[in-house]
Amino acid sequence: MLTLLGSYAQEESYSASENQKWRIRKDFEQGRLGSITILGYERSNDGTLIIVPEEAEIVRMIFNDFLSGMGKNAIANKLLAMGVPTKGGGIWTAWSIRRILKNEKYCGDLLLQKSYRENHITKRKMPNHGELPQYYVEEAHEAIIDKDTFMLAQELLREKKEYFTPDNPTTGTYPFTGIIHCGCCGKYYRRKVQPYRITWICWTYNARGKRFCPKSKQIPEDILYDKVCEVLRLDEFDNEVFQAEIESITVPKPNVLTFIFNDGHEQTVRWEDHSRSEAWTAEKRSQAAACGKKGAATRERRRKK
């Protein structure tokens, strides 16, 4: 009996879900917007978007700052320093700035059905990559920024993505992934690949700047390998031995590493920065020069536009 009642309830849930989906898709086909929370607008009773003047000024500032050369992290930090709240009351991040810069609603258009629910049981929100039709409505409401400004922002986002995306991207993890954490803010260190070196850097310091994690410092990856070999008394780095022996690495202050072993004991070591003559090899000078030329060419293209 319980099985029959459960099946009946599940079928009712499925039927209600399908009816709701049908209604929402019919609204999309007719260019009508569903429920939404977006900085700069509020939704009227008839479903159209109405500009909120004080919030719209923040949106314009974000686009202007980005097009003037500020990065997404810098803009997020500026808004945090100004005490500007997000629409949902959260903290500004580079990702939230990117979402605003990518949102076509700010130039008066609507792209409907960007996401969908996986099914009526999990109800997990999924990005729509072509699984369902999308609907684009032009001039659906009053714009906060003009389309030329919006398109310039999209082009700049593409250029930055191409510039900072490595030639051979990988989604693999590394021996130190999730192992090193900052003694100042508590966040984990992440791997940062630059044209002429690879370092590990505190997430807060990298995303928010020195003001939010003043004692953090980047650690060259080769120094990390050297110190692991020193602590474990290895001639060369062995990842299996490292994973078997080391639980985590804490960075209590600049140039200091505390290794926490799986058996509970700790060992603290100091490290020194490479001297300029050691770090600035001919190969790295060449890489830095090529990077500078690429950046200059990108800036010149923007100037001409």
Side-chain angles (χ1 to χ4, degrees):
M1 181 61 70
L2 286 174
T3 302
L4 289 172
L5 290 174
S7 300
Y8 179 76
Q10 183 171 322
E11 189 62 27
E12 283 292 308
S13 173
Y14 175 76
S15 178
S17 174
E18 289 300 303
N19 290 338
Q20 183 77 345
K21 287 178 182 178
W22 181 87
R23 183 188 63 78
I24 292 171
R25 287 168 187 164
K26 283 298 178 182
D27 285 346
F28 285 161
E29 289 174 8
Q30 296 172 28
R32 290 201 295 264
L33 187 66
S35 61
I36 187 172
T37 301
I38 179 173
L39 183 72
Y41 289 105
E42 61 181 13
R43 192 170 180 268
S44 66
N45 293 331
D46 63 358
T48 57
L49 294 178
I50 302 173
I51 291 178
V52 180
E54 58 273 18
E55 293 182 3
E57 286 304 312
I58 300 299
V59 173
R60 294 188 187 101
M61 184 185 73
I62 290 171
F63 275 88
N64 290 335
D65 285 347
F66 183 67
L67 291 175
S68 67
M70 286 183 69
K72 296 187 289 294
N73 279 322
I75 296 172
N77 291 338
K78 177 180 177 180
L79 292 170
L80 287 170
M82 291 171 61
V84 177
T86 65
K87 188 73 170 183
I91 297 176
W92 287 102
T93 63
W95 179 250
S96 56
I97 297 298
R98 182 182 181 276
R99 287 183 64 186
I100 287 176
L101 293 170
K102 293 282 290 182
N103 200 325
E104 78 293 336
K105 295 177 183 67
Y106 292 117
C107 67
D109 295 347
L110 288 176
L111 177 59
L112 302 173
Q113 199 153 257
K114 293 180 181 178
S115 60
Y116 64 96
R117 297 293 176 182
E118 185 179 37
N119 55 55
H120 68 290
I121 297 174
T122 65
K123 297 181 178 167
R124 187 171 61 169
K125 194 173 183 179
M126 306 287 289
N128 184 5
H129 295 305
E131 292 85 354
L132 295 172
Q134 293 183 324
Y135 307 91
Y136 197 90
V137 185
E138 294 185 312
E139 299 179 3
H141 52 270
E142 186 179 359
I144 291 178
I145 59 166
D146 60 81
K147 287 193 178 182
D148 288 341
T149 300
F150 181 75
M151 295 310 297
L152 282 173
Q154 305 318 296
E155 188 168 347
L156 183 54
L157 283 168
R158 282 193 295 271
E159 288 179 0
K160 285 179 176 288
K161 182 179 179 180
E162 291 172 2
Y163 181 78
F164 289 106
T165 300
D167 294 332
N168 298 305
T170 177
T171 57
T173 57
Y174 301 90
F176 302 114
T177 301
I179 297 291
I180 310 170
H181 64 270
C182 180
C184 178
C185 69
K187 292 286 188 179
Y188 282 104
Y189 271 56
R190 61 178 293 270
R191 193 172 190 258
K192 185 174 183 179
V193 180
Q194 297 169 298
Y196 47 90
R197 68 172 183 170
I198 298 174
T199 60
W200 287 77
I201 185 171
C202 168
W203 182 92
T204 302
Y205 184 92
N206 186 60
R208 303 280 171 77
K210 188 173 182 179
R211 187 166 69 91
F212 293 88
C213 190
K215 296 182 181 180
S216 181
K217 185 175 182 179
Q218 296 186 55
I219 309 171
E221 188 173 68
D222 60 332
I223 286 179
L224 279 171
Y225 283 122
D226 288 343
K227 290 303 171 183
V228 169
C229 291
E230 177 185 323
V231 168
L232 297 179
R233 298 178 182 178
L234 300 173
D235 293 329
E236 60 181 21
F237 181 81
D238 187 317
N239 189 40
E240 289 186 5
V241 175
F242 173 68
Q243 298 294 334
E245 295 287 338
I246 303 299
E247 178 183 329
S248 63
I249 303 172
T250 303
V251 186
K253 57 184 178 179
N255 295 88
V256 174
L257 299 172
T258 298
F259 288 81
I260 302 171
F261 288 73
N262 286 322
D263 62 9
H265 84 277
E266 299 180 3
Q267 183 175 343
T268 298
V269 297
R270 293 189 58 84
W271 62 273
E272 299 296 330
D273 295 287
H274 292 302
S275 67
R276 187 170 179 82
S277 60
E278 290 177 322
W280 202 238
T281 62
E283 181 183 0
K284 290 182 178 179
R285 282 198 296 271
S286 176
Q287 290 174 341
C291 180
K293 289 179 181 178
K294 185 177 180 180
T298 301
R299 289 192 294 272
E300 180 63 21
R301 287 200 304 272
R302 293 177 193 160
R303 186 188 66 79
K304 290 179 179 178
K305 290 171 184 173

Coordinates of all heavy atoms in Angstrom, one line a residue, residues 60-126:
R60 N 26.4 51.2 -14.1 CA 27.1 52.0 -15.0 C 28.6 52.1 -14.6 O 29.5 52.1 -15.4 CB 26.5 53.3 -15.2 CG 25.1 53.3 -15.8 CD 24.5 54.7 -16.1 NE 23.1 54.6 -16.5 CZ 22.1 54.9 -15.8 NH1 22.3 55.3 -14.5 NH2 20.9 54.8 -16.2
M61 N 28.8 52.3 -13.3 CA 30.2 52.4 -12.8 C 31.0 51.1 -13.1 O 32.1 51.2 -13.4 CB 30.1 52.7 -11.3 CG 31.5 53.0 -10.7 SD 31.5 53.1 -8.9 CE 31.2 51.4 -8.4
I62 N 30.3 50.0 -12.9 CA 31.0 48.7 -13.1 C 31.5 48.6 -14.6 O 32.6 48.3 -14.9 CB 30.1 47.5 -12.7 CG1 29.9 47.5 -11.2 CG2 30.7 46.2 -13.2 CD1 28.9 46.5 -10.7
F63 N 30.6 48.9 -15.5 CA 30.9 48.8 -16.9 C 32.0 49.9 -17.3 O 32.9 49.5 -18.0 CB 29.7 49.1 -17.8 CG 28.9 47.8 -18.0 CD1 27.9 47.4 -17.1 CD2 29.1 47.0 -19.1 CE1 27.1 46.3 -17.3 CE2 28.3 45.9 -19.4 CZ 27.4 45.5 -18.5
N64 N 31.9 51.1 -16.8 CA 32.9 52.1 -17.1 C 34.2 51.8 -16.5 O 35.3 51.9 -17.2 CB 32.4 53.5 -16.5 CG 31.2 54.0 -17.3 OD1 31.0 53.7 -18.4 ND2 30.4 54.9 -16.6
D65 N 34.3 51.3 -15.3 CA 35.5 50.9 -14.7 C 36.2 49.7 -15.5 O 37.4 49.7 -15.7 CB 35.3 50.5 -13.2 CG 35.1 51.7 -12.3 OD1 35.3 52.8 -12.8 OD2 34.7 51.4 -11.2
F66 N 35.4 48.8 -15.9 CA 35.9 47.6 -16.6 C 36.5 48.1 -17.9 O 37.6 47.6 -18.3 CB 34.9 46.6 -16.8 CG 35.3 45.3 -17.5 CD1 36.2 44.5 -16.9 CD2 34.9 45.0 -18.8 CE1 36.7 43.3 -17.5 CE2 35.4 43.8 -19.4 CZ 36.2 43.0 -18.8
L67 N 35.8 48.9 -18.7 CA 36.2 49.4 -20.0 C 37.4 50.3 -19.9 O 38.2 50.5 -20.8 CB 35.1 50.0 -20.7 CG 34.0 49.1 -21.2 CD1 32.8 49.8 -21.8 CD2 34.5 48.0 -22.2
S68 N 37.6 50.9 -18.7 CA 38.7 51.9 -18.5 C 40.0 51.1 -18.1 O 41.1 51.7 -17.9 CB 38.4 52.9 -17.4 OG 38.3 52.3 -16.2
G69 N 39.9 49.8 -17.9 CA 41.1 49.0 -17.6 C 41.1 48.3 -16.3 O 42.1 47.5 -16.0
M70 N 40.2 48.5 -15.4 CA 40.1 47.9 -14.1 C 39.8 46.4 -14.3 O 38.9 46.1 -15.1 CB 39.2 48.5 -13.1 CG 39.7 49.9 -12.6 SD 38.5 50.6 -11.4 CE 38.7 49.4 -10.0
G71 N 40.4 45.5 -13.5 CA 40.0 44.1 -13.5 C 38.8 43.8 -12.6 O 38.4 44.7 -11.9
K72 N 38.3 42.6 -12.8 CA 37.0 42.3 -12.0 C 37.3 42.2 -10.5 O 36.5 42.7 -9.8 CB 36.5 40.9 -12.5 CG 36.1 40.9 -14.0 CD 35.4 39.6 -14.4 CE 36.4 38.5 -14.5 NZ 37.4 38.7 -15.6
N73 N 38.5 41.7 -10.1 CA 38.8 41.7 -8.7 C 38.9 43.2 -8.2 O 38.5 43.4 -7.0 CB 40.1 41.0 -8.5 CG 39.9 39.5 -8.4 OD1 38.9 39.0 -7.9 ND2 40.8 38.7 -9.0
A74 N 39.5 44.0 -8.9 CA 39.7 45.4 -8.5 C 38.4 46.1 -8.3 O 38.2 46.9 -7.4 CB 40.6 46.2 -9.5
I75 N 37.5 45.8 -9.3 CA 36.1 46.5 -9.2 C 35.4 45.9 -7.9 O 34.7 46.7 -7.2 CB 35.3 46.2 -10.5 CG1 36.0 46.8 -11.7 CG2 33.9 46.7 -10.3 CD1 35.4 46.4 -13.0
A76 N 35.5 44.6 -7.7 CA 34.8 44.0 -6.5 C 35.4 44.6 -5.2 O 34.6 45.0 -4.3 CB 35.0 42.5 -6.5
N77 N 36.7 44.8 -5.2 CA 37.3 45.4 -4.0 C 36.9 46.9 -3.8 O 36.7 47.4 -2.7 CB 38.8 45.3 -4.1 CG 39.4 43.9 -4.0 OD1 38.7 43.1 -3.4 ND2 40.5 43.7 -4.5
K78 N 36.7 47.6 -4.9 CA 36.3 49.0 -4.9 C 34.9 49.1 -4.3 O 34.6 49.9 -3.4 CB 36.3 49.6 -6.3 CG 35.8 51.0 -6.4 CD 35.8 51.6 -7.8 CE 35.2 52.9 -7.9 NZ 35.2 53.5 -9.3
L79 N 34.0 48.2 -4.7 CA 32.6 48.2 -4.2 C 32.6 47.8 -2.7 O 31.8 48.3 -2.0 CB 31.7 47.2 -5.0 CG 31.5 47.6 -6.5 CD1 30.8 46.5 -7.3 CD2 30.6 48.9 -6.5
L80 N 33.4 46.8 -2.3 CA 33.5 46.5 -0.9 C 34.0 47.7 -0.1 O 33.5 47.9 1.0 CB 34.5 45.3 -0.8 CG 34.0 43.9 -1.2 CD1 35.1 42.9 -1.2 CD2 32.8 43.4 -0.4
A81 N 35.0 48.4 -0.6 CA 35.5 49.6 0.1 C 34.5 50.7 0.2 O 34.4 51.4 1.2 CB 36.8 50.1 -0.6
M82 N 33.6 50.8 -0.8 CA 32.6 51.8 -0.8 C 31.4 51.4 0.1 O 30.5 52.2 0.4 CB 32.0 52.0 -2.2 CG 33.0 52.7 -3.1 SD 32.5 52.7 -4.9 CE 30.9 53.6 -4.7
G83 N 31.4 50.1 0.5 CA 30.3 49.6 1.3 C 29.0 49.4 0.5 O 27.9 49.4 1.1
V84 N 29.1 49.1 -0.8 CA 27.9 48.9 -1.6 C 27.5 47.4 -1.4 O 28.3 46.5 -1.7 CB 28.3 49.2 -3.1 CG1 27.1 48.8 -4.0 CG2 28.7 50.6 -3.3
P85 N 26.3 47.2 -1.1 CA 25.8 45.8 -0.9 C 25.5 45.2 -2.3 O 25.1 45.9 -3.2 CB 24.6 45.9 -0.1 CG 24.0 47.2 -0.4 CD 25.2 48.1 -0.7
T86 N 25.5 43.9 -2.4 CA 25.0 43.2 -3.6 C 23.5 43.1 -3.5 O 22.9 43.4 -2.4 CB 25.6 41.8 -3.7 OG1 25.1 41.0 -2.6 CG2 27.1 41.8 -3.7
K87 N 22.9 42.8 -4.6 CA 21.4 42.7 -4.6 C 20.9 41.7 -3.5 O 19.9 41.9 -2.9 CB 20.9 42.3 -6.0 CG 19.4 42.4 -6.1 CD 18.9 43.9 -6.2 CE 17.4 44.0 -6.6 NZ 17.0 45.4 -6.7
G88 N 21.6 40.6 -3.4 CA 21.2 39.6 -2.4 C 21.8 39.7 -1.1 O 21.6 38.8 -0.2
G89 N 22.6 40.7 -0.9 CA 23.2 41.0 0.5 C 24.5 40.2 0.7 O 25.0 40.2 1.8
G90 N 25.1 39.6 -0.4 CA 26.3 38.9 -0.2 C 27.6 39.8 -0.4 O 27.5 41.0 -0.3
I91 N 28.7 39.1 -0.7 CA 30.0 39.8 -0.8 C 30.3 39.9 -2.3 O 30.2 38.9 -3.0 CB 31.1 39.1 0.0 CG1 30.8 39.1 1.5 CG2 32.5 39.8 -0.3 CD1 31.8 38.4 2.3
W92 N 30.8 41.0 -2.7 CA 31.3 41.2 -4.1 C 32.5 40.3 -4.4 O 33.4 40.3 -3.6 CB 31.6 42.7 -4.4 CG 30.4 43.6 -4.5 CD1 29.9 44.4 -3.5 CD2 29.5 43.7 -5.6 NE1 28.8 45.1 -4.0 CE2 28.5 44.6 -5.2 CE3 29.4 43.1 -6.8 CZ2 27.5 45.0 -6.1 CZ3 28.4 43.4 -7.7 CH2 27.4 44.4 -7.3
T93 N 32.4 39.6 -5.5 CA 33.6 38.8 -6.0 C 33.8 39.1 -7.5 O 32.9 39.7 -8.1 CB 33.3 37.3 -5.8 OG1 32.2 36.9 -6.6 CG2 33.0 37.0 -4.3
A94 N 34.9 38.6 -8.0 CA 35.1 38.7 -9.4 C 34.0 38.0 -10.2 O 33.6 38.5 -11.3 CB 36.5 38.1 -9.8
W95 N 33.5 36.9 -9.7 CA 32.5 36.2 -10.4 C 31.2 37.0 -10.5 O 30.5 37.0 -11.5 CB 32.2 34.9 -9.7 CG 31.1 34.0 -10.3 CD1 29.9 33.8 -9.8 CD2 31.2 33.4 -11.6 NE1 29.2 33.0 -10.7 CE2 29.9 32.8 -11.8 CE3 32.1 33.3 -12.6 CZ2 29.6 32.1 -13.0 CZ3 31.8 32.6 -13.8 CH2 30.6 32.0 -13.9
S96 N 30.8 37.7 -9.4 CA 29.6 38.5 -9.4 C 29.7 39.7 -10.4 O 28.8 40.1 -11.0 CB 29.2 39.0 -8.0 OG 30.3 39.7 -7.4
I97 N 30.9 40.2 -10.5 CA 31.2 41.3 -11.4 C 31.0 40.8 -12.9 O 30.4 41.4 -13.7 CB 32.6 41.9 -11.2 CG1 32.7 42.6 -9.8 CG2 32.9 43.0 -12.3 CD1 31.7 43.7 -9.6
R98 N 31.6 39.6 -13.1 CA 31.5 39.0 -14.4 C 30.0 38.8 -14.8 O 29.6 39.0 -16.0 CB 32.3 37.7 -14.5 CG 32.3 37.0 -15.8 CD 33.0 35.7 -15.8 NE 33.1 35.1 -17.1 CZ 32.1 34.3 -17.6 NH1 31.0 34.1 -16.8 NH2 32.2 33.7 -18.8
R99 N 29.2 38.3 -13.9 CA 27.8 38.0 -14.2 C 27.1 39.3 -14.6 O 26.2 39.3 -15.5 CB 27.1 37.5 -12.9 CG 27.5 36.0 -12.6 CD 26.7 35.5 -11.4 NE 25.3 35.4 -11.7 CZ 24.4 35.1 -10.8 NH1 24.8 34.8 -9.6 NH2 23.1 35.0 -11.1
I100 N 27.4 40.4 -14.0 CA 26.8 41.7 -14.4 C 27.3 42.1 -15.8 O 26.5 42.5 -16.6 CB 27.2 42.8 -13.4 CG1 26.4 42.6 -12.1 CG2 26.9 44.2 -13.9 CD1 26.7 43.5 -10.9
L101 N 28.6 42.0 -16.0 CA 29.1 42.4 -17.3 C 28.6 41.5 -18.5 O 28.5 42.0 -19.6 CB 30.7 42.3 -17.3 CG 31.4 43.3 -16.4 CD1 32.9 42.9 -16.3 CD2 31.2 44.7 -16.9
K102 N 28.2 40.3 -18.2 CA 27.7 39.3 -19.2 C 26.2 39.4 -19.4 O 25.7 38.8 -20.3 CB 28.1 37.9 -18.8 CG 29.6 37.6 -18.9 CD 30.1 37.4 -20.2 CE 29.7 36.1 -20.9 NZ 30.2 35.9 -22.2
N103 N 25.5 40.1 -18.5 CA 24.1 40.1 -18.5 C 23.5 41.1 -19.5 O 23.6 42.3 -19.4 CB 23.5 40.5 -17.1 CG 22.1 40.0 -16.9 OD1 21.3 40.0 -17.8 ND2 21.8 39.6 -15.7
E104 N 22.8 40.5 -20.5 CA 22.2 41.3 -21.6 C 21.1 42.1 -21.2 O 20.7 43.1 -21.9 CB 21.8 40.3 -22.8 CG 20.5 39.6 -22.5 CD 20.5 38.6 -21.4 OE1 21.6 38.1 -21.1 OE2 19.4 38.3 -20.9
K105 N 20.5 41.9 -20.1 CA 19.4 42.7 -19.6 C 19.8 44.2 -19.4 O 18.9 45.0 -19.5 CB 18.8 42.1 -18.3 CG 18.2 40.7 -18.4 CD 17.8 40.2 -17.1 CE 17.3 38.8 -17.2 NZ 18.3 37.8 -17.6
Y106 N 21.0 44.4 -19.1 CA 21.4 45.8 -18.9 C 21.4 46.7 -20.2 O 21.5 47.9 -20.1 CB 22.8 45.9 -18.2 CG 22.8 45.3 -16.8 CD1 23.5 44.2 -16.5 CD2 22.0 45.9 -15.9 CE1 23.4 43.7 -15.2 CE2 21.9 45.4 -14.6 CZ 22.6 44.3 -14.2 OH 22.5 43.8 -13.0
C107 N 21.4 46.0 -21.4 CA 21.3 46.8 -22.6 C 19.9 46.7 -23.2 O 19.6 47.1 -24.3 CB 22.3 46.4 -23.6 SG 22.1 44.7 -24.3
G108 N 18.9 46.3 -22.3 CA 17.5 46.3 -22.7 C 17.0 45.0 -23.4 O 15.8 44.9 -23.7
D109 N 17.8 44.0 -23.5 CA 17.4 42.7 -24.1 C 17.1 41.6 -23.1 O 17.5 41.8 -21.9 CB 18.4 42.2 -25.1 CG 18.6 43.2 -26.3 OD1 17.8 44.1 -26.5 OD2 19.6 43.1 -27.0
L110 N 16.5 40.5 -23.5 CA 16.3 39.4 -22.7 C 16.7 38.1 -23.4 O 16.3 37.9 -24.5 CB 14.8 39.3 -22.3 CG 14.2 40.3 -21.3 CD1 12.7 40.1 -21.2 CD2 14.8 40.3 -20.0
L111 N 17.5 37.3 -22.7 CA 17.7 35.9 -23.1 C 17.0 35.0 -22.2 O 17.4 35.0 -21.0 CB 19.3 35.6 -23.2 CG 19.6 34.2 -23.6 CD1 19.1 33.8 -25.0 CD2 21.1 34.0 -23.5
L112 N 16.0 34.4 -22.6 CA 15.2 33.6 -21.7 C 15.5 32.1 -21.8 O 15.9 31.6 -22.8 CB 13.7 33.8 -22.1 CG 13.2 35.2 -22.1 CD1 11.8 35.3 -22.6 CD2 13.3 35.8 -20.6
Q113 N 15.3 31.4 -20.7 CA 15.6 30.0 -20.4 C 17.1 29.7 -20.5 O 17.6 28.9 -21.2 CB 14.9 29.1 -21.4 CG 14.8 27.6 -20.9 CD 13.6 26.9 -21.5 OE1 12.6 26.7 -20.8 NE2 13.7 26.5 -22.7
K114 N 17.9 30.5 -19.7 CA 19.3 30.3 -19.6 C 19.6 29.0 -18.8 O 20.7 28.4 -18.9 CB 20.0 31.4 -18.9 CG 20.0 32.7 -19.7 CD 20.7 33.8 -18.9 CE 20.7 35.1 -19.6 NZ 21.3 36.2 -18.9
S115 N 18.6 28.6 -17.9 CA 18.8 27.4 -17.1 C 17.5 26.7 -17.0 O 16.5 27.2 -17.4 CB 19.3 27.8 -15.7 OG 18.4 28.7 -15.1
Y116 N 17.6 25.5 -16.4 CA 16.4 24.7 -16.2 C 16.6 23.8 -15.0 O 17.7 23.6 -14.5 CB 16.1 23.8 -17.5 CG 17.2 22.8 -17.8 CD1 17.0 21.5 -17.4 CD2 18.3 23.2 -18.5 CE1 18.0 20.6 -17.7 CE2 19.3 22.3 -18.8 CZ 19.2 21.0 -18.4 OH 20.1 20.1 -18.7
R117 N 15.5 23.2 -14.6 CA 15.6 22.2 -13.4 C 15.8 20.8 -13.9 O 15.2 20.4 -14.9 CB 14.3 22.3 -12.6 CG 14.0 23.6 -12.0 CD 15.0 23.9 -10.9 NE 14.8 25.3 -10.3 CZ 15.5 25.8 -9.4 NH1 16.6 25.1 -8.9 NH2 15.3 27.0 -8.9
E118 N 16.7 20.1 -13.3 CA 17.1 18.8 -13.8 C 15.9 17.8 -13.9 O 15.7 17.2 -14.9 CB 18.2 18.2 -12.8 CG 18.8 16.9 -13.3 CD 19.8 16.4 -12.3 OE1 19.7 16.6 -11.1 OE2 20.8 15.8 -12.8
N119 N 15.1 17.7 -12.8 CA 13.9 17.0 -12.8 C 13.1 17.4 -11.6 O 13.5 18.2 -10.8 CB 14.2 15.4 -12.8 CG 15.1 15.0 -11.6 OD1 14.8 15.3 -10.4 ND2 16.2 14.4 -11.9
H120 N 11.9 16.8 -11.5 CA 11.0 17.2 -10.4 C 11.3 16.6 -9.0 O 10.7 17.0 -8.0 CB 9.5 16.7 -10.8 CG 9.4 15.3 -10.8 ND1 9.9 14.4 -11.7 CD2 8.7 14.4 -9.9 CE1 9.6 13.2 -11.5 NE2 8.8 13.2 -10.4
I121 N 12.3 15.8 -9.0 CA 12.7 15.2 -7.7 C 13.9 16.0 -7.1 O 13.8 16.5 -6.0 CB 13.1 13.7 -7.9 CG1 11.9 12.9 -8.3 CG2 13.6 13.1 -6.5 CD1 12.1 11.5 -8.6
T122 N 15.0 16.1 -7.8 CA 16.2 16.8 -7.3 C 16.0 18.3 -7.4 O 16.5 19.0 -6.6 CB 17.5 16.4 -8.1 OG1 17.3 16.8 -9.5 CG2 17.7 14.9 -8.1
K123 N 15.3 18.7 -8.5 CA 15.1 20.2 -8.7 C 16.4 21.0 -8.8 O 16.4 22.2 -8.5 CB 14.2 20.8 -7.6 CG 12.8 20.1 -7.6 CD 11.9 20.7 -6.6 CE 10.5 20.1 -6.7 NZ 9.7 20.3 -5.6
R124 N 17.5 20.3 -9.2 CA 18.8 21.0 -9.3 C 18.8 21.9 -10.5 O 18.3 21.5 -11.6 CB 19.9 19.9 -9.4 CG 21.3 20.6 -9.4 CD 22.4 19.5 -9.2 NE 22.4 18.6 -10.4 CZ 23.3 17.8 -10.7 NH1 24.4 17.7 -9.8 NH2 23.3 17.0 -11.7
K125 N 19.3 23.1 -10.3 CA 19.3 24.1 -11.4 C 20.5 23.8 -12.3 O 21.6 23.6 -11.8 CB 19.4 25.5 -10.8 CG 19.2 26.6 -11.8 CD 19.1 27.9 -11.2 CE 18.8 29.0 -12.2 NZ 18.7 30.4 -11.5
M126 N 20.3 23.7 -13.6 CA 21.3 23.3 -14.6 C 21.4 24.4 -15.6 O 20.4 25.0 -16.1 CB 20.9 22.0 -15.3 CG 20.7 20.8 -14.3 SD 22.1 20.2 -13.5 CE 23.0 19.4 -14.9

